[in-house]
Structures are given as C-alpha cells and as structure tokens.
Amino acid sequence: MSRKQKKRNKPYTGADAAPTKPNVHRYVAVQRSPLGEWWHTHKQTVKIVAIIVGAIFVVSFLVVELFRLVF
C-alpha cells in the first residue's frame, strides 16, 4: 500500500500565482444614434450583400458587352 500524499498548505507566490484580489472590469456604453446602432449591428451583412450585388452587376455588364461585341 502506498502512502497518501500530504496536502499542500504553502501559498503559491511568484508571477504564475493567481491574483489574490478580484479583477474589476469597468465598461462604458457607447452612445449611438439609431442609424449608427443599426449600422453597428448590420454592418457585416450589408457589406456581404453589397459585394454580391456588385459582382452580379459587373458580370452582367461584361456579358452584355460581350454579346454586343459578338453580334
């Protein structure tokens, strides 16, 4: 039978030790207009849709010009 390990009762010190006092995070809310709030929440969707619409426009323009050139 092996002996039971003794529990550690020495406090950890040094750079790797956990902080003794709690961290306090202070957050500040940004004041936005209704349009600015909408843009903040929908920015990525609007950019993706704009890129897709622009690509469709460019491709359709090139196809139309190709038909005009050929015929």
Side-chain angles (χ1 to χ4, degrees), residues 30 32 34-52:
V30 178
R32 290 191 178 98
L35 179 63
E37 185 70 28
W38 183 89
W39 177 252
H40 183 71
T41 56
H42 295 88
K43 185 185 335 185
Q44 187 174 7
T45 307
V46 170
K47 285 183 179 181
I48 290 172
V49 168
I51 289 171
I52 291 171

Side-chain angles (χ1 to χ4, degrees), residues 57-71:
F57 177 75
V58 168
V59 168
S60 63
F61 177 75
L62 290 175
V63 168
V64 168
E65 289 299 317
L66 179 68
F67 280 136
R68 281 184 50 195
L69 188 67
V70 170
F71 298 112

